[in-house]
Amino acid sequence: RSSRPQNVEDYSPYMDKQSNNYINDLNSGIYTNNSLSLVQFDLGQIYNSQKFTDTNDLYIVLPITIVAACSTGTAVTAPTGAGLASLCSLKTNNIHLIHQADLQIQGKSIEQTQPFINIAKHFKMMSEMSVNDLKQMGATLGFSDELDNTRSITWSGKTAHIAAAGPVSGNGFSNNKIYGTTVAAGIGSNYQSIFGAQNKGCVNLAAAQKACRYVDTSAGGLTYNNISGSIVTSASLVEEFRPSFSILNTNYLVWYDYAVIKLNTLFESMGNVGLIRKLDATLRIWVNTGTLAVATTLEGTPDVGTIQVGANLKYTYQPSYSTFTNTCQLMINYVNDGATAPNIPAAARAIVAGLFIGGPPSTNILGVNLFTSGAQNTLRACRMYYSQITMNPIKALTYVESNRNKKVVYRNIISNQYNNTGASGTFNQLINSGIVHPTGVLIVPFISSTVAEGILDYQWKSPLDSCPSTTAPISLTNLQVSVGGTNILTSTLSYGFENFIQQVSMADTLTSADFGISCGLFSQQWWDNFRYYYVNVERSGIADKSVPRNIN
């Protein structure tokens, strides 16, 4: 390198790069906001005859609005007191806002819609991000400085939940405690800070950090350490697209957020296309939106339950009061500090809350119409941001000539869902017929919706559980995967963390250990409580990769 001729023009082929360009979606500000909401983009608008766009830089911003109020059975009322901004937040990772998506180029479907693509992409992000990535970029992508805590998860079976006088943070599986459970515990922590029953006082620090993202502009600006309303103003928050919290029309709590999602995370093909001048493509994404109610009555039924007061606050998710059909990315945090419940009115029967694009539609759950809040995100449309790059003319010509017929290779996702596999039951099925070049099988177990002691709904629909950014400690034994009739594993596995690391390990590791991953956010304690079962099926003969094979 020292003896090579050097030239200042060799530093970069770029003469200029601007990244603040954007296009709006094709929805014209109209979104379903009840169950799945379809958002469409025409990428053909990104065109400049003199400049290039890097498809790896593309990202979308969704204007998210969360609205909540309390139902007394006959009227709508607002929670009162300090700390209201922490009642609701988004769950970890903005990718869970997307249920499915597809990409068409010149009318041809490149990546087809697959349900629950968010779960597979979350696993991909978790396995590729480093701890430094989490600290530096995590908040932008919807993470926190920490992952969801394994020590703060609780299980409250239906029988015990109904019998309990309170306090209870939720029925079934829940992980929504963001404050210490007793006054004596002081500040909540990822770790047990006081003597007592195991994990006493532990909170989900990731959820707590998510709640702290929202700048509290309520109470006449005398909040957020007295900074809001003085140095930080509502106008500056709008200009900077910073998440904020406010109270509208007396009774409605409103959170505004801006969810950033990288397109190369959603579609691996977009990360591999490279520099283009024009891409005749259409992008469609289905966003998880909806409204639900969480009962705050002792019997857990908003219509007939006995009203609670103070420290006896008990949350109960009711599937019949939810319009979410798939993932619920809305978290309702447990606000009881063990002595009082200052945020929930004594007459409240339920918390009614919804997650929307832009603003809420008309709703009617327990008599609450969130539309009357008047909430409307200041960003009125979903945006896609892209770069514009001016290249050195000679190098641009060389690039164009060498890429007129470019082969793009990428991995796609195919998903299946299997319900009601009982405890100690067996599962042996053909899961895909005639697939070409499979690379991996990812099994993600969740608590069944038919578990009588659970929530009688899918785990990922609960607003009291950090699922699907977390799963459940469900053990799979005697695991074997076969491709084309050939077993991939040398023997059936009672799959543990060591097997997981061996299966996801990359070609090069940072240490000389027999197994290990060069990056990733999985630790053994985290994996033991939130399971992912991954089997690498990529290693096969070159001739086999192009032949359709069955996977069992």
Side-chain angles (χ1 to χ4, degrees), residues 105-313:
I105 298 180
Q106 294 181 342
K108 181 179 179 180
S109 183
I110 302 301
E111 298 204 36
Q112 300 176 346
T113 56
Q114 292 293 324
F116 294 102
I117 191 175
N118 54 308
I119 295 176
K121 295 302 182 178
H122 176 72
F123 171 79
K124 182 175 182 288
M125 294 176 70
M126 289 275 292
S127 62
E128 294 179 350
M129 292 176 67
S130 67
V131 175
N132 287 339
D133 292 334
L134 187 66
K135 296 288 186 182
Q136 185 179 40
M137 301 189 308
T140 302
L141 301 178
F143 286 83
S144 298
D145 290 349
E146 313 282 341
L147 295 180
D148 290 281
N149 190 13
T150 63
R151 296 178 175 90
S152 59
I153 56 175
T154 60
W155 170 261
S156 179
K158 182 179 179 180
T159 303
H161 189 81
I162 292 176
V168 184
S169 61
N171 53 322
F173 216 57
S174 63
N175 196 14
N176 61 337
K177 294 180 180 178
I178 62 173
Y179 299 123
T181 54
T182 65
V183 175
I187 298 175
S189 170
N190 266 4
Y191 306 97
Q192 185 170 353
S193 56
I194 62 171
F195 176 78
Q198 189 175 23
N199 295 326
K200 181 178 181 181
C202 290
V203 303
N204 186 354
L205 194 55
Q209 291 171 346
K210 292 281 289 183
C212 289
R213 291 180 67 244
Y214 301 97
V215 178
D216 189 347
T217 63
S218 63
L222 300 178
T223 54
Y224 193 60
N225 298 342
N226 291 336
I227 296 175
S228 175
S230 53
I231 300 176
V232 177
T233 65
S234 297
S236 66
L237 294 175
V238 171
E239 292 171 356
E240 298 175 9
F241 289 168
R242 289 185 62 184
S244 62
F245 166 79
S246 59
I247 300 176
L248 297 181
N249 288 342
T250 307
N251 293 325
Y252 298 92
L253 311 182
V254 179
W255 294 260
Y256 295 123
D257 208 338
Y258 309 90
V260 176
I261 300 173
K262 295 186 67 179
L263 209 57
N264 62 1
T265 300
L266 202 58
F267 298 118
E268 188 170 296
S269 59
M270 297 304 289
N272 296 341
V273 168
L275 297 177
I276 57 168
R277 282 203 175 116
K278 182 176 182 180
L279 184 64
D280 182 12
T282 301
L283 168 66
R284 298 189 301 172
I285 59 175
W286 282 263
V287 183
N288 291 303
T289 61
T291 311
L292 51 78
V294 170
T296 56
T297 54
L298 287 177
E299 285 80 7
T301 303
D303 299 311
V304 299
T306 303
I307 293 175
Q308 305 175 101
V309 179
N312 290 325
L313 182 64

Side-chain angles (χ1 to χ4, degrees), residues 411-434:
R411 293 173 296 180
N412 208 341
I413 300 295
I414 298 177
S415 64
N416 296 326
Q417 181 176 325
Y418 302 95
N419 296 326
N420 307 334
T421 303
S424 301
T426 59
F427 179 89
N428 186 358
Q429 292 190 27
L430 171 69
I431 64 171
N432 197 281
S433 176

Side-chain angles (χ1 to χ4, degrees), residues 245-503:
F245 166 79
S246 59
I247 300 176
L248 297 181
N249 288 342
T250 307
N251 293 325
Y252 298 92
L253 311 182
V254 179
W255 294 260
Y256 295 123
D257 208 338
Y258 309 90
V260 176
I261 300 173
K262 295 186 67 179
L263 209 57
N264 62 1
T265 300
L266 202 58
F267 298 118
E268 188 170 296
S269 59
M270 297 304 289
N272 296 341
V273 168
L275 297 177
I276 57 168
R277 282 203 175 116
K278 182 176 182 180
L279 184 64
D280 182 12
T282 301
L283 168 66
R284 298 189 301 172
I285 59 175
W286 282 263
V287 183
N288 291 303
T289 61
T291 311
L292 51 78
V294 170
T296 56
T297 54
L298 287 177
E299 285 80 7
T301 303
D303 299 311
V304 299
T306 303
I307 293 175
Q308 305 175 101
V309 179
N312 290 325
L313 182 64
K314 181 170 70 171
Y315 282 176
T316 308
Y317 166 68
Q318 295 288 324
S320 57
Y321 297 102
S322 175
T323 67
F324 285 92
T325 54
N326 300 293
T327 298
C328 173
Q329 184 63 352
L330 169 64
M331 179 82 94
I332 297 182
N333 299 309
Y334 190 60
V335 295
N336 189 356
D337 65 2
T340 60
N343 297 334
I344 307 301
R349 291 187 175 276
I351 300 169
V352 179
L355 185 155
F356 315 104
I357 304 174
S362 294
T363 65
N364 184 18
I365 294 183
L366 298 173
V368 178
N369 184 2
L370 297 178
F371 178 77
T372 58
S373 66
Q376 183 60 247
N377 197 299
T378 52
L379 185 61
R380 297 304 176 93
C382 301
R383 290 182 178 180
M384 177 177 293
Y385 283 83
Y386 63 95
S387 58
Q388 285 200 325
I389 299 166
T390 303
M391 290 183 67
N392 181 301
I394 297 177
K395 294 184 178 180
L397 181 61
T398 303
Y399 174 79
V400 170
E401 291 295 332
S402 61
N403 285 282
R404 290 192 182 277
N405 186 13
K406 180 181 180 180
K407 183 177 182 179
V408 179
V409 180
Y410 57 92
R411 293 173 296 180
N412 208 341
I413 300 295
I414 298 177
S415 64
N416 296 326
Q417 181 176 325
Y418 302 95
N419 296 326
N420 307 334
T421 303
S424 301
T426 59
F427 179 89
N428 186 358
Q429 292 190 27
L430 171 69
I431 64 171
N432 197 281
S433 176
I435 188 172
V436 177
H437 197 169
T439 60
V441 175
L442 175 65
I443 306 169
V444 189
F446 296 101
I447 298 170
S448 174
S449 61
T450 61
V451 173
E453 291 295 304
I455 61 174
L456 295 178
D457 203 350
Y458 293 112
Q459 186 183 354
W460 52 75
K461 288 175 65 175
S462 173
L464 312 177
D465 189 355
S466 48
C467 179
S469 54
T470 56
T471 60
I474 296 176
S475 176
L476 301 185
T477 60
N478 299 326
L479 175 64
Q480 180 62 273
V481 176
S482 67
V483 178
T486 302
N487 288 341
I488 297 298
L489 305 172
T490 55
S491 60
T492 58
L493 296 178
S494 292
Y495 200 107
F497 182 67
E498 292 79 7
N499 304 115
F500 173 78
I501 290 183
Q502 289 172 344
Q503 291 297 323

